[in-house]
Amino acid sequence: MKKILQKLLHLFLLIGPGLFCVGYTIGTGSVTTMIKTGSEHGMTLLWVVALSCVFCGFLMEAYGRFSLVTGKSSIMAFKEQFGKPVALLALGMVVLGQWFCLSGLVGLSSQAVYELLHLYIPGVETLGVQRFVIGVALCMMVAVYAILWFGNYSRLETILSLLVTILGLSFIVSIFLVPPRSAQVYEGLFPTIPAGASLLVASLVGTTLAAPTFVVRPLLLRGKGWTKKDLRLQTRDVCFSALIMFIVSGSIMCCATGAIYNHNGQPIQNVMDMVQTLRPLAGEGAVVLFLVGLICAGMSSIFPIIMVAPLLIGDYQNGELQIRTPLFRILAAFVCCIGLTVPILGANPVFAQILTQIGQVFVLPLVIGLMMILINKKSLMKEHAAGPVLNLGMAAAFVFSLIMSYQGVLAFISTFSKP
C-alpha cells in the first residue's frame, strides 16, 4: 500500500503544470456551459469538447516543447521573431478575452455563495439579492488578492489541484447514477450543430480551448524548473491534462443529459436550476454539493485569470515568471476590480458566464498561427522541430479556430440583434 501511495504521489507531482492548466480551464464557465448544453441539446455537442481538448493538447505540446528547447517564453518569442506590434496584439487579445470572462465568472460564483448562505441563514434575502451578491464578490476578490500577495506558485498549484479534484469527482461519480444513453454519447461524437446552438458552440470552445492554457504554459514550466531534458515528461503532462479536461467536461455534460435532458429538458435559467445534475448522487444534499463545487470551480479559475495580464506583461518585458513585483500587484488589483462588473450590473449570471466565454475564441487563430511558424523553425528548434503529427494537429486546430471564430461572430450577432 505504501508503494502504491508513493507512486500516486509521484504521478501527481509529475503532472503539476498540467493540473494548473486544468484548474484554469475547468471553472464555473466550463461547468455552466456544459450543463446548459447537456440540458438543452443532450450529448450532440460532445464532439466540440472532444476536438477542443485534443487541439488543446497539441498546442500545449507545441508551446511547451518550444519553451524547453529554446528557453524562451511565448510573448517574448513573438516579440523577438515577429516584432513588438504582433507581440502586443497577441498579449492584448489574450488579456481582454480573460478580463471579459472574469466578470461573468465572479458573478456566477458570487450568486452561488448567496444561494448557499440563503439555505442556512434566515433573512439573508432581506438585505437585497444584488447588494448581497456585490458584497460577496467584493469579499471574494479581496481574499483572492490577499492570497496572491502573500502566496507563491507552489502554494497556488496545491490549492488549484485540490479544488479541481473536488469539482471533478462529484460529476464523475454522478454519471454512473443517471447515465445518458450510450447511443447519445456515440452520436455526440459526430459533428452537428443544432438550431440556435451557435452561442453554446462558441462558448464550449472558449472555455475548453482557451489561449492562456497554452500561451502561459512556458512560464509555468519555467516556474516548475523543467528544461530540455524534461521533454518526455512535458509530453506526458500534456496527455494527462488533456485527458482530464475531457473526462471532467464530458462528465458534466453527461450529468446534465442524464438528469435533466432525458427527463424534462428544462432550460437552465439560474444557478439553482443546475443543481439537478447532482441530485441523483446527493439527493437533498445536491444543493450544497453543487454550490460548493461551483464555488471551488470559480476560485480555481479566478486565480489564473487574474495572473494572466501581469504574467504576460512580465513575459513581454523579460520572459520571467514574477508574481511578487509591484507591477504584478497593481495589475492584479485592477483586474479584481474588473471582476466586479457583472455583480454590479446585476446581469443574469448564467447567461453572462456563457456569453463572456465567447470572447476567448477570437485570439485563437493568431496564437496558433504564430506558434505553427515558430515550432517549425529549424534555426530555433533544430532536431526538435515539429514532425508530421504535431504539424497536422496544429493545422487542424488552426482551421477549427477559424470556424469557431465565425461561430462566435454569429453568436454575438444573434444575441444582440434580438429585440
Side-chain angles (χ1 to χ4, degrees):
M1 178 61 72
K2 183 178 180 180
K3 290 183 178 180
I4 294 176
L5 291 175
Q6 288 176 339
K7 289 182 179 180
L8 289 174
L9 177 61
H10 179 64
L11 177 62
F12 178 79
L13 293 175
L14 288 182
I15 59 176
L19 280 181
F20 188 97
C21 293
V22 174
Y24 163 78
T25 305
I26 307 297
T28 59
S30 182
V31 172
T32 304
T33 306
M34 299 298 165
I35 290 178
K36 190 167 180 64
T37 300
S39 66
E40 295 183 5
H41 303 289
M43 303 298 295
T44 55
L45 294 177
L46 182 62
W47 65 273
V48 178
V49 179
L51 285 181
S52 296
C53 290
V54 170
F55 293 148
C56 189
F58 277 113
L59 292 167
M60 285 193 291
E61 167 65 20
Y63 273 83
R65 183 191 300 189
F66 177 82
S67 176
L68 294 181
V69 171
T70 65
K72 300 179 183 296
S73 51
S74 305
I75 303 300
M76 174 64 73
F78 294 164
K79 182 171 72 172
E80 292 178 353
Q81 298 297 319
F82 304 108
K84 292 182 179 180
V86 173
L88 290 173
L89 177 62
L91 187 156
M93 290 183 70
V94 171
V95 168
L96 287 176
Q98 291 301 284
W99 288 356
F100 191 53
C101 176
L102 178 64
S103 59
L105 190 155
V106 174
L108 192 63
S109 300
S110 303
Q111 185 71 38
V113 173
Y114 167 79
E115 298 291 353
L116 186 61
L117 294 178
H118 182 251
L119 293 175
Y120 299 103
I121 303 178
V124 166
E125 67 279 0
T126 61
L127 301 175
V129 176
Q130 184 178 0
R131 184 183 304 174
F132 193 87
V133 167
I134 292 174
V136 170
L138 181 60
C139 292
M140 187 180 296
M141 290 296 93
V142 170
V144 168
Y145 187 72
I147 293 174
L148 289 173
W149 182 282
F150 295 106
N152 56 43
Y153 173 71
S154 297
R155 291 176 183 173
L156 291 178
E157 184 181 59
T158 301
I159 293 172
L160 296 178
S161 299
L162 177 61
L163 297 181
V164 171
T165 301
I166 295 173
L167 165 69
L169 287 178
S170 58
F171 286 107
I172 292 173
V173 172
S174 292
I175 63 175
F176 294 100
L177 300 177
V178 189
R181 294 187 295 270
S182 57
Q184 289 178 308
V185 178
Y186 176 74
E187 292 170 359
L189 296 174
F190 292 90
T192 179
I193 300 178
S198 293
L199 178 66
L200 289 173
V201 170
S203 185
L204 284 172
V205 176
T207 191
T208 309
L209 186 58
T213 305
F214 39 88
V215 173
V216 175
R217 184 170 176 80
L219 294 176
L220 300 180
L221 296 180
R222 184 173 297 180
K224 192 72 175 178
W226 288 6
T227 61
K228 187 187 294 188
K229 65 181 178 60
D230 297 305
L231 282 171
R232 288 188 178 181
L233 190 58
Q234 103 94 14
T235 300
R236 188 185 311 166
D237 179 72
V238 166
C239 293
F240 271 109
S241 56
L243 180 61
I244 292 172
M245 280 192 285
F246 177 70
I247 289 175
V248 176
S249 299
S251 297
I252 299 170
M253 189 180 292
C254 284
C255 288
T257 301
I260 303 177
Y261 180 79
N262 287 343
H263 287 78
N264 51 34
Q266 292 296 317
I268 301 297
Q269 301 292 347
N270 55 60
V271 175
M272 294 303 291
D273 289 340
M274 296 190 286
V275 171
Q276 304 302 321
T277 54
L278 292 182
R279 198 170 292 280
L281 171 67
E284 294 303 316
V287 176
V288 174
L289 179 59
F290 179 83
L291 292 178
V292 170
L294 193 67
I295 294 166
C296 290
M299 296 299 290
S300 74
S301 292
I302 287 173
F303 281 111
I305 289 177
I306 291 177
M307 293 169 66
V308 162
L311 287 182
L312 291 185
I313 291 175
D315 183 357
Y316 176 84
Q317 292 177 332
N318 51 36
E320 295 293 332
L321 173 62
Q322 299 176 352
I323 63 174
R324 288 195 173 184
T325 63
L327 175 63
F328 179 95
R329 289 169 173 170
I330 292 172
L331 284 173
F334 176 71
V335 179
C336 285
C337 293
I338 291 178
L340 299 173
T341 305
V342 166
I344 290 175
L345 294 177
N348 182 308
V350 173
F351 175 75
Q353 179 66 98
I354 293 173
L355 183 65
T356 54
Q357 295 289 344
I358 301 176
Q360 300 192 80
V361 303
F362 301 113
V363 69
L364 289 175
L366 176 63
V367 295
I368 295 174
L370 293 177
M371 183 48 65
M372 286 178 65
I373 298 173
L374 292 179
I375 199 70
N376 282 286
K377 277 199 170 186
K378 294 287 186 179
S379 59
L380 294 173
M381 300 299 296
K382 307 231 174 1
E383 70 274 15
H384 298 290
V389 174
L390 183 56
N391 274 321
L392 180 61
M394 294 191 69
F398 181 73
V399 174
F400 182 72
S401 70
L402 291 176
I403 295 173
M404 290 303 118
S405 295
Y406 174 69
Q407 287 293 322
V409 172
L410 293 181
F412 273 123
I413 293 175
S414 63
T415 298
F416 293 106
S417 63
K418 292 177 180 179

